[in-house]
Amino acid sequence: GDVCSRKISAYLVDGGAMAFRGEKAATKDVDLIVETTEDAEELGRAFHKLGFDINIQPPTECKSLVDARILTESRGMRVDIFVKIVCGKLVLSEGMRSRSDFHASMGNIALSICSREDIFLLKSVTERSRDLDDMVVLYRKGVNKQTLMNECEAQGKHDDIANGRIWEVFLSEKIEEMEEAYGISVPW
C-alpha cells in the first residue's frame, strides 16, 4: 500500500476472497478488481516494486484472462488485476461494491472482499473444474438466492458486455452441473 502514489480501491474476488474468509485453504492466484485503467497501472507498478513481473501471456489454463494484468513473482505467486470487468463477463456493479466487506487499508490501498454471492455468480460463468468445487463450498456456507437473482438482472443491463447473455441461464446450468457432480439438491 505504501508503494502506491495515490489512493486506490481494490476488490478481492474469487479464491483469494474465499481464502481470506477461511472458506478455502489456499488459492493459485489473487484476483483484484479496480475501477479504472489508471488504478490498474498504479497497482501494477506497486506490485512490480514488490518483486512481481508483468506477464503478457495468460497461463494456459486461463485463456479468459485476456482482460487482466497478470503479475507473477519468483515463488510462483500470481496476481490478476481486472479493470471493472472480470474475464470479459462479470462487471463490478454498484451492488457488488455495496455487498463487499471492507477488509483493510494498506497504505493507499483500500481492500474490500467481494460477497459469497458475487463470487458464486462469477464462478458460474467460468469453465474451470475447480470453480465448481468452490461453488459447492460457497453454497454450503450460504448464498442468498434473491441477491444472486438481483445481480443477474443487474449484470444483464451492462450492454457493453452483455451481448445477449442471460445470466440466470448460466447460473441455472452451473447449479444443475453442481447438483449432478456433488449429489446435492439446491432448493431454488
Side-chain angles (χ1 to χ4, degrees), residues 122-140:
L122 171 63
K123 289 181 174 290
S124 76
V125 296
T126 61
E127 298 300 324
R128 301 174 303 184
S129 62
R130 67 183 183 269
D131 286 335
L132 200 59
D133 299 338
D134 289 345
M135 286 180 71
V136 170
V137 169
L138 293 165
Y139 172 72
R140 288 181 174 153

Side-chain angles (χ1 to χ4, degrees), residues 117-185:
E117 290 81 7
D118 296 320
I119 296 167
F120 190 89
L121 186 59
L122 171 63
K123 289 181 174 290
S124 76
V125 296
T126 61
E127 298 300 324
R128 301 174 303 184
S129 62
R130 67 183 183 269
D131 286 335
L132 200 59
D133 299 338
D134 289 345
M135 286 180 71
V136 170
V137 169
L138 293 165
Y139 172 72
R140 288 181 174 153
K141 289 286 184 181
V143 292
N144 182 286
K145 176 189 176 188
Q146 193 57 54
T147 300
L148 283 168
M149 294 299 109
N150 290 345
E151 188 58 34
C152 282
E153 183 178 333
Q155 290 294 321
K157 292 179 181 175
H158 293 283
D159 292 336
D160 51 333
I161 68 155
N163 296 324
R165 291 186 185 136
I166 302 171
W167 286 85
E168 294 87 346
V169 173
F170 283 121
L171 182 61
S172 177
E173 287 175 358
K174 198 59 101 166
I175 288 172
E176 286 176 20
E177 189 179 330
M178 186 178 78
E179 288 176 322
E180 283 180 30
Y182 290 89
I184 61 175
S185 178

Side-chain angles (χ1 to χ4, degrees), residues 90-104:
L90 189 75
V91 173
L92 179 64
S93 68
E94 189 54 46
M96 288 176 68
R97 284 185 205 91
S98 68
R99 283 187 296 278
S100 69
D101 292 321
F102 175 75
H103 177 67

